[in-house]
Amino acid sequence: MSGKRLPWALLAVLVLAQICYPLTGGATRAGLTVATVGLGWLLSVGHALLTRGTRAALALVAVATGGGFAIEALGVATGFPFGSYDYSGELGPKLAGVPLVIPLAWTWMAWPAWLTAVRLTRSRPGRIALAAVGLAAWDLFLDPQMVAEGYWRWRDAVPALPGLPGIPVSNYLGWLLFAVLLTAALRPLAGPAVDRTDARDAPMFALYLWTYASSVLAHAVFLRLPASAAWGAAGMAVAAVPLAVTLLRARRRRAGAGVAEPTPRVDAPA
């Protein structure tokens, strides 16, 4: 399979796994969760490798996977920066109290969030801010869903957002703090190749928009978590809605110009 088709193939498998999620339960659902996160990690790291090269892929793994494990281990041990919490044993093997699958989740969404920010703004501080919000807002879906499944629990869950009991506000602030650090470190380590987007990034944009739309639907309808559907819809909309509008406008311009294939877009760093 060509490098151009592989990300689309992995995305298709990932979408299928997520569609199956509400149809399962118990140990099967936990196993599917772990498999889905693994697929997401492979998709994002593989795309970075295929489109930006070894340096970018290694930088993504270092700051998102390595950094994700470090911040989670710190959180479990000290309660900083997320609050005091414990993981259950349902998500597989642990190291320092952290399931090994958890850092993979940071990586899964960090890459499409970064590319979304690059697509939407030329300002480097703006990219860091938008990518951080785009990543951290995902947790407005993720944490309520995983807590409802019993995959982790909070020892002190106050104050909490309205409609989202059991999860302290400090968790979301901790996500935002680490997301800023992650996205700020990614560009210097990955190099100038991550300062531009082009037609090869379509699978990552599709992943981000699919995550947004499918999460709203799943929480509102299948998982019976309407509050997290509303909070997540509002939070991720900061990046997802401008991305969708930008991509739609670009498609219309190409159609109006009679261009059959999408032309690459290169964003010069600020």
Side-chain angles (χ1 to χ4, degrees):
M1 183 179 295
S2 70
K4 184 181 295 186
R5 294 180 180 178
L6 182 58
W8 285 114
L10 289 173
L11 178 59
V13 176
L14 176 63
V15 168
L16 179 61
Q18 290 181 311
I19 290 173
C20 292
Y21 179 89
L23 307 178
T24 62
T28 300
R29 178 174 283 190
L32 186 60
T33 299
V34 172
T36 300
V37 173
L39 277 168
W41 184 90
L42 186 61
L43 172 58
S44 288
V45 174
H47 179 270
L49 178 63
L50 290 170
T51 63
R52 302 308 194 284
T54 303
R55 178 181 173 180
L58 290 177
L60 178 63
V61 171
V63 300
T65 310
F69 173 77
I71 199 70
E72 291 284 352
L74 178 66
V76 169
T78 69
F80 177 83
F82 306 108
S84 185
Y85 63 105
D86 293 297
Y87 286 103
S88 72
E90 296 184 64
L91 294 179
K94 298 180 185 179
L95 179 62
V98 180
L100 296 179
V101 72
I102 294 298
L104 306 187
W106 284 100
T107 315
W108 170 16
M109 200 52 56
W111 183 238
W114 173 260
L115 292 178
T116 293
V118 171
R119 184 67 176 82
L120 293 176
T121 178
R122 294 176 182 270
S123 163
R124 189 162 295 165
R127 288 174 176 177
I128 292 171
L130 184 58
V133 171
L135 171 58
W138 179 47
D139 192 52
L140 293 165
F141 292 118
L142 184 63
D143 234 276
Q145 180 179 339
M146 298 297 104
V147 168
E149 293 294 338
Y151 296 154
W152 57 80
R153 65 177 182 84
W154 297 90
R155 298 178 194 146
D156 184 5
V158 291
L161 293 175
L164 299 180
I167 306 161
V169 171
S170 60
N171 170 64
Y172 304 111
L173 296 177
W175 263 73
L176 184 59
L177 171 64
F178 178 61
V180 169
L181 297 176
L182 188 163
T183 52
L186 181 59
R187 168 58 181 83
L189 290 174
V194 301
D195 259 337
R196 57 185 179 268
T197 61
D198 57 44
R200 300 171 299 172
D201 300 324
M204 291 298 101
F205 298 144
L207 170 62
Y208 196 81
L209 294 176
W210 159 259
T211 299
Y212 176 63
S214 65
S215 295
V216 173
L217 177 62
H219 282 239
V221 178
F222 299 106
L223 301 178
R224 296 183 176 89
L225 297 170
S228 58
W231 280 105
M236 280 191 77
V238 172
V241 171
L243 175 63
V245 170
T246 298
L247 295 177
L248 182 59
R249 286 176 176 172
R251 183 175 181 178
R252 286 176 175 172
R253 284 197 301 269
R254 290 193 299 268
V259 178
E261 295 293 330
T263 54
R265 170 189 167 179
V266 177
D267 297 315

